[in-house]
Amino acid sequence: MAAASASLNTLCVNSIRFLAVDGVNKSKSGHPGLPMGCAPMAYALWDRVLSHNPKNPKWFNRDRFVLSAGHGCMLLYALLHLSGYDSVTIEDIKQFRQWGSRTPGHPETFETAGVEVTTGPLGAGIANAVGLAIAEAHLAAKFNRPDCNLVDHYTYVIMGDGCNQEGISSEACSLAGHLKLGKLIALYDDNHITIDGNTEVSFTEDVMKRYEAYGWHVQHVADGNTDVDGIQKAIEAAKAVTDRPSLIKVTTTIGYGSPNKSNTAGVHGAPLGEEEANLTREALGWEYGPFEIPQESYDHWRQAIDRGAAAEEAWNATLASYRNNYATEAALFERMLRGELPEGWEACLPTFSPEDKGLATRQYSQNCLNAIAPHLPELIGGSADLTHSNLTDIKGEKSFQKGAEANRYLHFGVREHAMAAILNGLAYHGSGLVPYGGTFLVFADYMRGSMRLSALSELGVIYVLTHDSIGVGEDGPTHQPVETIPSLRAIPNMLVFRPGDGNETSGAYKVAINNRHRPSVLALSRQAMANQANSAIDKVALGGYILEDCSGSPELILIGTGTELDLCVQAAKQLTADGRKVRVVSMPCVELFLEQSAAYQEEVLPNAIRKRIVVEAAESFGWHKFIGLDGDSVTMNRFGASAPGGTCMKEFGFTVENVVAKSKALLG
Amino acid sequence: MAAASASLNTLCVNSIRFLAVDGVNKSKSGHPGLPMGCAPMAYALWDRVLSHNPKNPKWFNRDRFVLSAGHGCMLLYALLHLSGYDSVTIEDIKQFRQWGSRTPGHPETFETAGVEVTTGPLGAGIANAVGLAIAEAHLAAKFNRPDCNLVDHYTYVIMGDGCNQEGISSEACSLAGHLKLGKLIALYDDNHITIDGNTEVSFTEDVMKRYEAYGWHVQHVADGNTDVDGIQKAIEAAKAVTDRPSLIKVTTTIGYGSPNKSNTAGVHGAPLGEEEANLTREALGWEYGPFEIPQESYDHWRQAIDRGAAAEEAWNATLASYRNNYATEAALFERMLRGELPEGWEACLPTFSPEDKGLATRQYSQNCLNAIAPHLPELIGGSADLTHSNLTDIKGEKSFQKGAEANRYLHFGVREHAMAAILNGLAYHGSGLVPYGGTFLVFADYMRGSMRLSALSELGVIYVLTHDSIGVGEDGPTHQPVETIPSLRAIPNMLVFRPGDGNETSGAYKVAINNRHRPSVLALSRQAMANQANSAIDKVALGGYILEDCSGSPELILIGTGTELDLCVQAAKQLTADGRKVRVVSMPCVELFLEQSAAYQEEVLPNAIRKRIVVEAAESFGWHKFIGLDGDSVTMNRFGASAPGGTCMKEFGFTVENVVAKSKALLG
């Protein structure tokens, strides 16, 4: 590429700065400080190093770029605009943070092509990037051949002080160091300012030393405000270190160029205002009006378009040669890239009848994973150090480690939050990987920040969350979820399954794996339960269905899930024997039931039948949508207790006798 | 104290090990590995260093001990039993993990005297300990005088590999290093084993170097299995370093003594079984039967009783002298220790009328905090780097920093999870401190693990969570809570307030501060709202109340909270003008409303009146408990969007017009 002159470099860097200044000023809201400080590192990276194709933001082999400090999104929008992405025009920049715009207040992958990852919640982006780097390493190990590097890209991150303070970054970067992800390169915007002021008030650790402790390669660029060449050299040096991830600490001045606001918290999250913007123009010698970018800058920046086209063309040739030489592998690779699952994969899912020995749903889940794995090479996952409790292992599948990246079992360590973010990263990679991860259901609380982002960003992550109630037993209330299931059901765009037997577990996997744009939680039991006569894989897709019915119109409907489903069936038997007309509804997935037609919902839960009891070993919170003001519930209204699981269930009223008694009381 | 012989030391150490082996074997459930490996460090600490009084577990000036690796709780129960605490008899040890026992599967402070902190969720304990150390440093700086060290104790922790992998420990220990908490000493049980096997699979960072990076003093004891003297020396050295917290890495063998299971994951969380227990007896030369402790061991261990009595007596003399010399300070100190608030403190809470300019509830909250602070010296808190957004600062109150520990504003940094755990630690300290902490409501997800522990452990922590809906505006869906309020309402023993004006905000503070054994969430708006004519501080304690009513029986009830309360009031006015009979119920705290008498609930929400509409800019999840199958809602059923807050509210239907339209549709 043609090297730019010093003055052209400055012009290009300042183009970023003033798009940020003007965009934030116009919207009267936003964060100009980071883009002004990070413009040089962003320019060095995007103009001189990053391999990407502005006219095809989804080109597979592009380098991934994550702005972990998402509040500085005007940096990213400026980069996309200047590099020639169609997704961000100058008009889009002017619509920053407005209703319906493509330039929302934090970068959202579903709104703006070229945004790889939704960021804003701090620390999540760097952890997603670890997932992106794992995806690249895995696919490279799986598909590349000595004569053909089909998968070969870097993952770059810009992160700030806030990202480094959040525990999620510690978890993820410790794991990245362990896995020696050599193609992960993070630029740390070391500007010493957070919202509460100087980092001196709370954050004085030695960040470089911490990353060294994680096993990273670390460098420091002292003048991040102007030393574009120094930054470029550091990035090139980081690329050359392939046996470790790299951190480049780049010391910058937040709001660089603003005479009165730079190096203060005041420029972090508030517009400069017109007057200070003008003073900044003077200080940086910027002769252009708001949203005005000199053609010279555009001309230089948009060399990215030709570079990108050439890079993609070269890669397409590589792919063509790969197709010729490795037809089977290429077919798999291209199927995955299309986001298609192998036809008929569901046939492998096990089915059960009441004669089959009742197991825990975590065991049914293990059977599913092991049945699916040979048919779905894109399945990849693991556990946050609870493999033999969650039963998430795939037999014969080894651990993903340095030098063994083709293996698809991930040992996340005791790092739930990083796990969820890494699973998101695997999904964000867009290469058809089907990511899953396990921990105890109660520890969803540790990773909820990233579970929410799975839902918001429409990522088909599968959370295998076992030990789903007080049935956990002896571990006691710190380990017994009570409110966890309702709290997850409250998240929009999240499917929460609590299967009631083997068939329903298979059905939950069927829906979860087919839903590549919606995350799923599988809430699975520690303890065994019976297989039902009338359950079936395909009924799970309905969310709720009539499992057992009486003749004629029922006078009572029992609604059950998970381990409590069979309590409903047994109670219904006793009530029927007493001459009562009882229906049992199995409700493995509330969200899917609510998506069914009004007619179907009415068929299952007729509006006129108000005597309804829900039985679930969790808080009743949320169930009144079905039991209304006239129903009842056998649920938990307090934290659990430490005792054998069966004792807990009995003491807290999860018995056939209690369901029958409550039913009779309601029937009057 | 009388030094024990080498053989007596071994006997005392093995007394811990075999209580753990036998307790876990009998319950057929539990974690023997950690107690067997950590017995020497626990003995060194408890027998030779720890200042505590077994016959008065709540003696104020005791050293605090936190078993952060809570699954190893048989270690703690053994220590309490051997040291002579009445809370754990040998019978209690035999009842390990059984229904109603004082020895639950993880240590719970509300079950067992002598357990300082509820642990189990990994990493939380060390973060609580940072809070305990902050409490000590704060009270010491506040009350101690040159001639009188009234507050003077250490905080000790045993933590494992899992604790160090969790991000919460990184956050808290980075802050502890920044604050130079010299009286915090953590022993790190470096045993290289987690549930998934050897730490080689996921955790190979240099932990000591990481803590050095945080600014900690670090030491290593290579033989933690037998070198009691070495451990003691390291602890003494750590005590001597008063300008930094200390980490002592103690390398141990998990399940030490078990010939076939030590140093394997198999001994982490499963009983040894009878046969292996016998082999372990042989290997360690333990000649005693199950639950049999030689008198010699008891005699030595229980010297702790006399030592403790003497220590408390000496401190009581210090307190008496303090009372004489510093009567005012002593009165405050003793009031705080009794857990009493100053009489009539509530009089300082501001009241409002509709003539007062409408502010955001976060502003009302700021006014409350500033009104309360002078009257409540025990109030201490801060923000996770959002001080000027959360408005959590107290005017004139400076930052708690090294050398300025009497200040009561805490800059937590961008570390929400550590903040919540530290607030818990301040409450666990038992010294009457009233802790509060702020962040954006949506980031409750980052600290939910510790918020749950506030509720479970009955800690009166106040969470000041601002920016409580799509009203956040431009920051967009990553920053706009939608499901957060319902998800918090689902937690047992948690009060969730969403005040609807100035009086209700004052009322929320009144209840929250008076509830010293229940955590509170204050969900507060970014944007302004009107003051209501009929709101009042004391009505908040009812949870829900009739704000506006019609004459006669209403045909429609509008239920509102927070910024949407006034929408209900305005809609009711329009509907009334149309001749409709409408009641408006304000529901600032659902949990408190549900605690009222059935008669009061019926008075506010008569069962016969089924036409009810709830208006809240959040998921409707949970509200059907009040609107049933026949009501309706103006709520959110998706994630928000980036746009000015007013635009968001309008676009998503939070307008008087829409409430009126839905009301008319429901009225038919």
Side-chain angles (χ1 to χ4, degrees):
Chain A
M1 77 188 78
S5 68
S7 65
L8 181 55
N9 282 331
T10 304
L11 201 72
C12 288
V13 168
N14 284 341
S15 298
I16 299 175
R17 288 183 172 130
F18 284 94
L19 284 175
V21 167
D22 297 338
V24 174
N25 261 0
K26 178 161 192 298
S27 78
K28 297 195 173 66
S29 166
H31 302 75
L34 183 143
M36 295 170 78
C38 289
M41 70 178 91
Y43 173 66
L45 177 61
W46 278 59
D47 186 63
R48 301 184 181 180
V49 183
L50 199 74
S51 175
H52 65 128
N53 184 0
K55 295 305 176 195
N56 181 9
K58 291 288 176 195
W59 168 46
F60 167 75
N61 204 42
R62 70 196 182 275
D63 289 337
R64 298 326 194 249
F65 172 75
V66 175
L67 181 65
S68 188
H71 53 276
C73 56
M74 271 304 312
L75 177 75
L76 184 47
Y77 301 143
L79 290 167
L80 293 172
H81 172 64
L82 292 167
S83 306
Y85 283 71
D86 298 325
S87 51
V88 183
T89 66
I90 198 75
E91 288 309 311
D92 292 313
I93 300 263
K94 290 179 186 171
Q95 286 303 305
F96 182 50
R97 296 186 149 222
Q98 302 309 304
W99 182 262
S101 84
R102 290 192 286 193
T103 48
H106 288 84
E108 293 155 5
T109 185
F110 50 92
E111 296 285 6
T112 318
V115 172
E116 299 283 359
V117 161
T118 301
T119 53
L122 292 174
I126 175 73
N128 296 151
V130 174
L132 291 169
I134 288 174
E136 195 271 347
H138 174 66
L139 296 169
K142 186 185 185 86
F143 288 108
N144 289 355
R145 295 293 176 268
D147 63 343
C148 190
N149 266 352
L150 185 64
V151 182
D152 185 12
H153 72 76
Y154 284 80
T155 300
Y156 296 98
V157 182
I158 290 181
M159 64 194 300
D161 288 306
C163 294
N164 273 320
Q165 288 179 77
E166 292 284 6
I168 186 175
S169 71
S170 297
E171 294 180 6
C173 293
S174 170
L175 183 59
H178 167 79
L179 294 175
K180 302 183 192 300
L181 299 170
K183 292 166 89 175
L184 173 64
I185 297 174
L187 294 101
Y188 160 37
D189 174 29
D190 169 49
N191 68 26
H192 294 286
I193 297 292
T194 62
I195 292 177
D196 273 9
N198 195 289
T199 50
E200 286 297 317
V201 302
S202 69
F203 186 57
T204 48
E205 63 171 54
D206 182 339
V207 175
M208 288 180 70
K209 188 168 181 176
R210 178 177 125 202
Y211 277 79
E212 276 179 355
Y214 295 152
W216 287 48
H217 168 247
V218 301
Q219 301 175 78
H220 182 207
V221 177
D223 173 15
N225 295 325
T226 64
D227 188 6
V228 172
D229 291 342
I231 298 166
Q232 180 191 358
K233 272 182 207 142
I235 300 173
E236 298 290 359
K239 287 181 70 171
V241 175
T242 56
D243 64 346
R244 281 169 291 165
S246 275
L247 182 83
I248 305 170
K249 177 166 111 167
V250 186
T251 299
T252 69
T253 304
I254 192 170
Y256 179 80
S258 161
N260 299 303
K261 295 193 170 175
S262 68
N263 203 28
T264 72
V267 77
H268 168 90
L272 289 187
E274 196 183 325
E275 191 181 331
E276 186 68 12
N278 288 337
L279 293 174
T280 307
R281 283 182 154 74
E282 275 175 39
L284 293 179
W286 183 257
E287 300 162 357
Y288 312 96
F291 303 104
E292 187 187 340
I293 299 296
Q295 193 57 42
E296 211 181 338
S297 172
Y298 274 131
D299 287 345
H300 182 75
W301 269 108
R302 294 194 172 167
Q303 292 176 18
I305 296 173
D306 285 345
R307 283 199 308 272
E312 178 165 354
E313 201 177 304
W315 184 78
N316 284 338
T318 304
L319 175 60
S321 130
Y322 191 81
R323 258 192 224 116
N324 284 338
N325 297 330
Y326 308 100
T328 314
E329 293 86 341
L332 171 60
F333 178 75
E334 296 193 84
R335 176 178 70 69
M336 285 174 60
L337 256 54
R338 287 194 304 271
E340 292 172 10
L341 297 169
E343 213 168 317
W345 73 270
E346 302 97 331
C348 71
L349 290 167
T351 58
F352 301 86
S353 71
E355 290 68 43
D356 293 310
K357 186 182 172 225
L359 301 176
T361 44
R362 64 175 169 145
Q363 292 171 301
Y364 292 123
S365 163
Q366 185 177 38
N367 294 344
C368 282
L369 284 169
N370 279 278
I372 295 164
H375 299 278
L376 237 61
E378 53 264 62
L379 188 72
I380 180 170
S383 166
D385 198 53
L386 287 170
T387 295
H388 303 296
S389 297
N390 303 143
L391 305 180
T392 40
D393 50 324
I394 299 169
K395 280 180 190 71
E397 192 63 54
K398 295 207 183 76
S399 181
F400 177 105
Q401 297 287 344
K402 181 68 181 176
E405 291 91 351
N407 296 333
R408 53 184 173 146
Y409 195 75
L410 295 163
H411 283 99
F412 292 102
V414 190
R415 304 182 180 104
E416 298 83 7
H417 204 175
M419 175 174 73
I422 287 168
L423 296 174
N424 285 346
L426 294 172
Y428 278 129
H429 196 256
S431 45
L433 294 170
V434 177
Y436 74 94
T439 183
F440 287 153
L441 176 60
V442 80
F443 297 135
D445 281 359
Y446 268 57
M447 58 181 180
R448 198 175 156 91
S450 285
M451 293 181 80
R452 181 180 209 262
L453 288 167
S454 308
L456 177 63
S457 284
E458 303 168 6
L459 305 172
V461 171
I462 302 172
Y463 293 97
V464 181
L465 305 182
T466 69
H467 296 64
D468 72 348
S469 76
I470 50 165
V472 163
E474 292 91 342
D475 274 347
T478 55
H479 285 56
Q480 293 169 346
V482 165
E483 77 287 15
T484 318
I485 290 174
S487 81
L488 294 170
R489 286 188 182 130
I491 301 178
N493 199 42
M494 172 84 79
L495 297 176
V496 179
F497 296 92
R498 190 166 187 254
D501 71 355
N503 289 332
E504 288 194 356
T505 307
S506 291
Y509 269 99
K510 179 176 171 179
V511 180
I513 287 178
N514 282 332
N515 263 276
R516 295 293 80 231
H517 296 289
R518 188 148 63 154
S520 294
V521 165
L522 309 187
L524 303 169
S525 74
R526 180 186 184 210
Q527 71 274 31
M529 70 201 75
N531 281 297
Q532 298 298 327
N534 299 314
S535 66
I537 289 180
D538 285 339
K539 291 180 183 173
V540 173
L542 299 167
Y545 63 95
I546 301 169
L547 182 74
E548 299 285 347
D549 210 0
C550 52
S551 61
S553 182
E555 52 185 331
L556 173 75
I557 301 176
L558 296 176
I559 306 171
T561 79
T563 38
E564 290 69 70
L565 181 59
D566 196 55
L567 285 184
C568 294
V569 172
Q570 299 308 322
K573 272 188 196 161
Q574 288 195 18
L575 291 161
T576 304
D578 281 0
R580 295 301 200 166
K581 298 174 94 173
V582 182
R583 169 178 294 180
V584 177
V585 169
S586 177
M587 187 78 84
C589 182
V590 170
E591 299 77 26
L592 289 175
F593 181 70
L594 293 171
E595 289 175 9
Q596 305 308 308
S597 68
Y600 177 75
Q601 292 187 47
E602 170 68 18
E603 185 189 322
V604 176
L605 297 174
N607 188 43
I609 300 167
R610 295 297 179 100
K611 293 185 175 172
R612 306 173 179 185
I613 296 181
V614 71
V615 187
E616 182 173 71
E619 268 275 350
S620 67
F621 199 83
W623 277 116
H624 291 78
K625 187 154 197 163
F626 301 103
I627 61 175
L629 302 184
D630 306 306
D632 201 352
S633 68
V634 179
T635 47
M636 290 291 293
N637 61 359
R638 51 157 284 186
F639 290 111
S642 172
T647 306
C648 285
M649 295 302 274
K650 198 178 146 205
E651 293 284 349
F652 287 115
F654 296 93
T655 61
V656 175
E657 297 67 41
N658 192 38
V659 176
V660 169
K662 284 222 173 188
S663 298
K664 287 184 173 169
L666 190 63
L667 285 166
Chain B
M1 75 188 78
S5 68
S7 64
L8 180 55
N9 282 330
T10 304
L11 201 72
C12 288
V13 169
N14 285 340
S15 297
I16 299 176
R17 289 184 172 130
F18 284 95
L19 284 174
V21 168
D22 297 338
V24 174
N25 261 359
K26 181 162 190 296
S27 77
K28 298 195 174 64
S29 165
H31 302 76
L34 183 143
M36 295 170 78
C38 288
M41 71 178 90
Y43 173 66
L45 177 62
W46 278 60
D47 186 64
R48 302 184 179 180
V49 184
L50 198 76
S51 175
H52 64 128
N53 184 1
K55 295 306 175 195
N56 181 8
K58 291 286 175 196
W59 168 45
F60 167 76
N61 204 42
R62 68 194 183 278
D63 290 337
R64 296 332 192 246
F65 172 75
V66 175
L67 180 64
S68 188
H71 53 276
C73 55
M74 272 303 312
L75 177 77
L76 183 48
Y77 300 143
L79 290 166
L80 294 171
H81 171 65
L82 291 167
S83 306
Y85 283 71
D86 298 325
S87 50
V88 183
T89 65
I90 197 76
E91 289 308 311
D92 292 313
I93 300 264
K94 291 179 186 170
Q95 287 302 305
F96 182 49
R97 297 187 149 222
Q98 302 309 302
W99 181 263
S101 86
R102 291 192 285 194
T103 47
H106 288 86
E108 292 155 6
T109 186
F110 49 91
E111 295 286 4
T112 318
V115 172
E116 299 283 359
V117 161
T118 300
T119 52
L122 292 174
I126 174 73
N128 296 151
V130 174
L132 292 168
I134 288 174
E136 195 271 348
H138 174 67
L139 296 169
K142 185 184 185 86
F143 289 108
N144 289 356
R145 294 294 176 268
D147 63 344
C148 190
N149 267 351
L150 184 64
V151 181
D152 184 12
H153 71 77
Y154 284 80
T155 300
Y156 297 98
V157 183
I158 291 181
M159 66 194 299
D161 288 304
C163 294
N164 274 319
Q165 289 179 76
E166 292 284 8
I168 185 175
S169 72
S170 297
E171 294 179 7
C173 293
S174 171
L175 183 60
H178 168 80
L179 294 174
K180 301 182 193 298
L181 299 171
K183 292 165 91 174
L184 172 64
I185 297 174
L187 294 101
Y188 160 38
D189 174 28
D190 169 49
N191 68 25
H192 293 286
I193 297 291
T194 63
I195 293 176
D196 273 8
N198 195 289
T199 49
E200 286 298 317
V201 301
S202 68
F203 186 55
T204 49
E205 64 171 55
D206 182 338
V207 175
M208 289 179 70
K209 187 168 180 175
R210 178 176 123 200
Y211 277 80
E212 277 181 353
Y214 296 151
W216 287 48
H217 168 246
V218 300
Q219 301 175 79
H220 183 206
V221 177
D223 173 14
N225 295 325
T226 66
D227 188 7
V228 172
D229 291 342
I231 297 167
Q232 180 190 357
K233 273 182 207 145
I235 299 174
E236 298 291 1
K239 286 181 71 171
V241 174
T242 57
D243 64 345
R244 279 169 292 165
S246 274
L247 180 83
I248 305 170
K249 176 166 111 167
V250 186
T251 300
T252 70
T253 303
I254 192 169
Y256 178 81
S258 161
N260 299 303
K261 294 191 171 176
S262 68
N263 202 30
T264 72
V267 78
H268 169 91
L272 289 186
E274 198 183 323
E275 191 182 330
E276 186 69 13
N278 287 337
L279 293 174
T280 307
R281 284 182 152 76
E282 274 176 39
L284 293 178
W286 184 255
E287 302 162 356
Y288 312 96
F291 302 105
E292 188 187 340
I293 299 295
Q295 193 57 43
E296 211 181 336
S297 172
Y298 275 131
D299 288 345
H300 182 75
W301 268 109
R302 293 194 172 167
Q303 291 177 18
I305 296 173
D306 286 346
R307 283 199 308 272
E312 178 164 354
E313 202 177 303
W315 184 77
N316 284 337
T318 303
L319 176 61
S321 130
Y322 191 82
R323 258 191 223 116
N324 285 337
N325 297 331
Y326 308 100
T328 314
E329 292 87 340
L332 171 59
F333 178 76
E334 295 193 86
R335 177 179 68 69
M336 285 175 60
L337 258 53
R338 288 193 304 273
E340 292 173 11
L341 297 169
E343 213 167 320
W345 72 270
E346 302 97 330
C348 71
L349 289 167
T351 57
F352 301 86
S353 70
E355 290 68 44
D356 293 309
K357 185 182 173 224
L359 301 175
T361 44
R362 64 176 170 145
Q363 292 171 302
Y364 292 124
S365 163
Q366 184 178 39
N367 294 345
C368 283
L369 283 170
N370 279 280
I372 296 164
H375 299 277
L376 237 61
E378 54 265 60
L379 188 72
I380 180 170
S383 166
D385 197 53
L386 286 170
T387 295
H388 303 296
S389 297
N390 303 142
L391 304 178
T392 40
D393 51 323
I394 299 168
K395 284 184 185 67
E397 192 64 53
K398 294 207 183 76
S399 181
F400 177 105
Q401 297 288 346
K402 181 67 181 177
E405 290 91 350
N407 296 335
R408 52 184 172 145
Y409 195 76
L410 295 164
H411 283 100
F412 293 101
V414 190
R415 303 181 181 104
E416 298 83 8
H417 204 174
M419 175 173 75
I422 287 167
L423 296 173
N424 285 346
L426 294 171
Y428 277 130
H429 196 255
S431 45
L433 294 170
V434 176
Y436 73 94
T439 183
F440 288 152
L441 176 60
V442 79
F443 297 134
D445 281 359
Y446 267 56
M447 59 181 181
R448 197 174 157 94
S450 284
M451 295 180 79
R452 182 179 208 260
L453 288 168
S454 308
L456 177 62
S457 284
E458 302 167 7
L459 305 172
V461 171
I462 302 172
Y463 293 97
V464 182
L465 304 182
T466 68
H467 296 63
D468 72 348
S469 76
I470 51 165
V472 163
E474 293 90 344
D475 274 346
T478 55
H479 284 57
Q480 294 168 345
V482 165
E483 77 287 15
T484 319
I485 290 174
S487 81
L488 294 170
R489 287 188 182 131
I491 301 178
N493 198 43
M494 171 84 79
L495 297 176
V496 180
F497 296 92
R498 189 163 188 256
D501 71 355
N503 289 333
E504 288 195 355
T505 307
S506 291
Y509 269 100
K510 180 175 172 181
V511 179
I513 287 177
N514 281 333
N515 263 276
R516 295 293 80 233
H517 296 290
R518 188 148 60 154
S520 294
V521 164
L522 309 186
L524 303 169
S525 74
R526 180 186 183 207
Q527 71 274 33
M529 71 201 76
N531 281 297
Q532 298 298 328
N534 299 314
S535 66
I537 289 179
D538 285 338
K539 291 181 182 172
V540 173
L542 299 168
Y545 63 94
I546 301 169
L547 181 76
E548 299 286 348
D549 211 359
C550 51
S551 60
S553 181
E555 52 187 330
L556 172 76
I557 302 176
L558 296 176
I559 306 170
T561 79
T563 37
E564 288 69 71
L565 181 59
D566 197 55
L567 284 186
C568 294
V569 173
Q570 300 308 323
K573 272 189 196 159
Q574 288 195 16
L575 291 161
T576 305
D578 281 359
R580 296 301 197 165
K581 298 174 94 173
V582 182
R583 169 178 293 181
V584 176
V585 169
S586 178
M587 187 77 84
C589 182
V590 171
E591 299 78 24
L592 289 175
F593 181 70
L594 293 172
E595 290 174 8
Q596 305 309 309
S597 68
Y600 177 75
Q601 292 187 47
E602 170 67 18
E603 186 188 321
V604 177
L605 296 175
N607 188 44
I609 301 166
R610 295 296 179 101
K611 293 185 175 171
R612 306 171 178 185
I613 295 180
V614 70
V615 187
E616 183 173 69
E619 268 275 350
S620 67
F621 199 83
W623 276 116
H624 291 78
K625 188 156 196 162
F626 301 103
I627 60 175
L629 303 185
D630 307 306
D632 201 351
S633 68
V634 179
T635 47
M636 290 291 292
N637 61 359
R638 51 157 284 184
F639 290 111
S642 172
T647 305
C648 285
M649 295 303 273
K650 197 178 148 211
E651 294 283 347
F652 287 114
F654 296 93
T655 61
V656 176
E657 296 67 40
N658 191 38
V659 177
V660 169
K662 284 221 174 192
S663 298
K664 288 186 172 168
L666 190 64
L667 284 165

